[in-house]
Amino acid sequence: MAKILMKGNEAIGAAAIKAGCKYFFGYPITPQNELPEYMARELPKVGGVFLQAESEVAAINMVYGAAGAGARVMTSSSSPGIALKQEGISYIAGAELPCVIVNIVRGGPGLGGIQPAQSDYYQSTRGGGNGDYRTVVYAPATLQETVDLVMEAFDVADQYRIPVMVVGDGMIGQMMEPVEFKEPKKRDLPAKDWATDGTKGQRKPNIINSLFIDPKELEDHVWRLEEKYKVIKENEVRYETYNLEDADVVVVAYGTTSRVVKNAIAKCEAEGLKVGLIRPITLWPFPDEAFEKISDKTKGILTVEMSTGQMVDDVKIAINGRKPVYFYGRTGGMVPEPDAIVAEIKKIAGGER
Amino acid sequence: MAKVFEKTKGLTDKPFHYCPGCTHGIIHRLVAEVLEELGVLGKAIGVAPVGCSVFAYDYFNCDMHEAAHGRAPAVATGIKRVHPDSVVFTYQGDGDLASIGTAEIIHAAHRGEKITTIFVNNAIYGMTGGQMAPTTLVGQKATTAPYGRDENHAGRPLKVSEMLATIHGAKFVERVSVHNPANIRKAKKAIKKAFEVQLAGEGFAIVEVLSTCPTNWGLTPTEALKWLEENMLPYYPLGNFRTPEEVK
Ligand SMILES: Cc1ncc(C[n+]2csc(CCOP(=O)(O)OP(=O)(O)O)c2C)c(N)n1
Ligand code: SF4
């Protein structure tokens, strides 16, 4: 198929529909509005349903109902809206239902701003809602990668019965790039024989639930979820690395920040400095294994984020004290400049930090 | 010997956990009997609330989906949009529906969502130990209104049926009570109509059922029935607030 030039938010909608998403429940918030608007236009054409909910809380609970009923369903929002959805995400994770949630991140806290940021890293990767649970979190860096991951997200959600989040910063939502819609790799997807779609008098009632009054039963459930998360960790970690073997400094960055970092790395290389890159594509599961490939000659690791430093915690856990970890970040919707990153890299390479 | 009474197929064999004299059990049975009589158990999908009836998913003999506190109408919306031919109902307490979930119920009604809501008003939060609900009567004591509900402090009790009856998408709104056999029979009729409205594709239907909470009211089961009759009925008048022509 030929490449089409599309705006990020609309490309996400197109990818979801191509992946068989038939239901979308959302509530307006900048900078993701083109996505629900696209779904409102396009879903009815394929026999699907777009519904604008009265709030994010209602939207995610509509997703919960539709997912329980066996549908491929999606919602999207931006930071404060995702905060409201966390209650529902916890219930969906607890009841082990598949769905896809898109967060086009903007700056915070509170009402914050509407410019791109990465300050929802904790919110995405630490659960956000109550209880011991995880969601698979994808952080694409280009629109092509975004559509690939959105399409795959529905399969991953169905395979593991888990909510999958696709986290793009406002830049991913708003920019235009050429994209091509490709079938994701084939997976063996289990039948949805657990869905609440009516017994038709043919089977015992199905119950979608996350309540376990007996503490032992709840503990068993939580550990069973944990086992599932381990399997996901083994099979679904995604990352990109560059030049780890002989890097003086390794930079860790995800999403659009990684594109600025690549620019900075090219500038360093032009000056003869060897700089490596680890770009997590899954924020959860975090690509710990990539950090084992960092060579002994590396002087330090620089984490660059559009936040005051959130992923840097996971970087420190992954490197486990083997190398010093430094941080450079901009926040509030400010995007790091390549030159500023180059300056940080040079400080580490020159032993100034 | 001729069989004169049989338990409804709409309920499972699981024993109810409700306190002695609690009318949640009666209301469950009415809903279950209606589902069976309408022949829709096979396409019924119920949404259980948070509150004393949180285990409703174990009692109704049809597909059931548990919801977060107050969110049942949104969950039901998701289900109904995926399976428009199914019969979707929510079963909610007054804390669930009239407090934390007011936005969800109003907007489900507003959209004319083709679901049926059974709204159990016992004027108190049962499950969490007798705190004040939006429906607690003025002067009624609750653990968080220890001196009795003061209108100047907590407002007057919310009349949900009257409020929802102002919404166009709410096609059937009726308040009933289960404090004596005659009213129980009327309650069942209303519940049946509320499901018929859904089956006819009319829009949102709700039955508010006045119910007892002997445990948190601090009364015996018979005293509780009397209290309901003497105190709740004058403030929460029974009757139909909206009926589409077809099912009148
Ligand atoms: C988000 C959230 N807030 C609070 C609670 C605690 N909670 C459980 S039941 C309940 C009140 C239920 O009262 P009502 O809906 O009137 O039902 P009843 O128990 O009287 O039948 C509350 C506040 C909860 N489970 N979740
Ligand atoms: S606490 Fe009240 S509402 Fe709950 S089961 Fe007991 S009597 Fe019924």
Side-chain angles (χ1 to χ4, degrees), chain B residues 17-23 212-215 219-222 224:
Chain B
H17 69 283
Y18 299 110
C19 305
C22 175
T23 43
T212 62
C213 179
T215 303
L219 300 173
T220 66
T222 39

Side-chain angles (χ1 to χ4, degrees), chain B residues 24 50-52 69 93-96 100 122 124-128:
Chain B
H24 260 307
V50 166
C52 282
H69 197 27
D94 48 321
D96 193 76
I100 192 168
N122 57 15
I124 207 151
Y125 282 31
M127 189 192 217
T128 40

Side-chain angles (χ1 to χ4, degrees), chain A residues 105-108 115-121 169 171 252-254 256-257 260-261 302-312 327-342 344:
Chain A
V105 184
R106 64 190 233 180
Q115 297 302 322
Q118 294 180 319
S119 43
D120 291 355
Y121 184 92
D169 53 65
M171 203 101 81
V252 190
Y254 70 95
T256 46
T257 305
V260 186
V261 164
L302 176 67
T303 304
V304 183
E305 298 175 64
M306 287 195 281
S307 80
T308 57
Q310 299 189 18
M311 179 180 69
V312 64
F327 173 74
Y328 175 75
R330 298 295 303 270
T331 185
M334 299 298 291
V335 180
E337 305 264 349
D339 286 344
I341 299 169
V342 169
E344 295 298 318

Side-chain angles (χ1 to χ4, degrees), chain A residues 23 25 49-55 57-58 61-66 68-71 87 91 97 195-201 203-211 213, chain B residues 12 41-45 50 54-55 57-58 60-69 71 74-79 81-83 86 100 103-105 107-108 111 113 127:
Chain A
Y23 300 89
F25 303 95
V49 176
F50 163 86
L51 187 63
Q52 181 169 322
E54 62 271 28
S55 69
V57 176
N61 280 285
M62 290 171 186
V63 168
Y64 180 32
E87 172 197 71
Y91 275 75
L97 297 180
T196 48
D197 50 3
T199 64
K200 296 162 192 85
R203 57 158 170 78
K204 283 204 153 86
N206 281 338
I207 298 173
I208 304 282
N209 182 30
S210 62
L211 176 68
I213 285 290
Chain B
T12 63
L41 273 173
K43 55 177 185 172
I45 306 168
V50 166
V54 68
F55 295 125
Y57 54 75
D58 279 338
F60 287 106
N61 195 15
C62 60
D63 278 1
M64 292 294 293
H65 193 130
E66 171 57 23
H69 197 27
R71 317 294 176 226
V75 173
T77 298
I79 297 169
R81 295 300 176 124
V82 174
H83 300 298
S86 60
I100 192 168
E104 283 78 4
I105 197 68
H107 286 277
R111 285 189 302 269
E113 211 61 62
M127 189 192 217

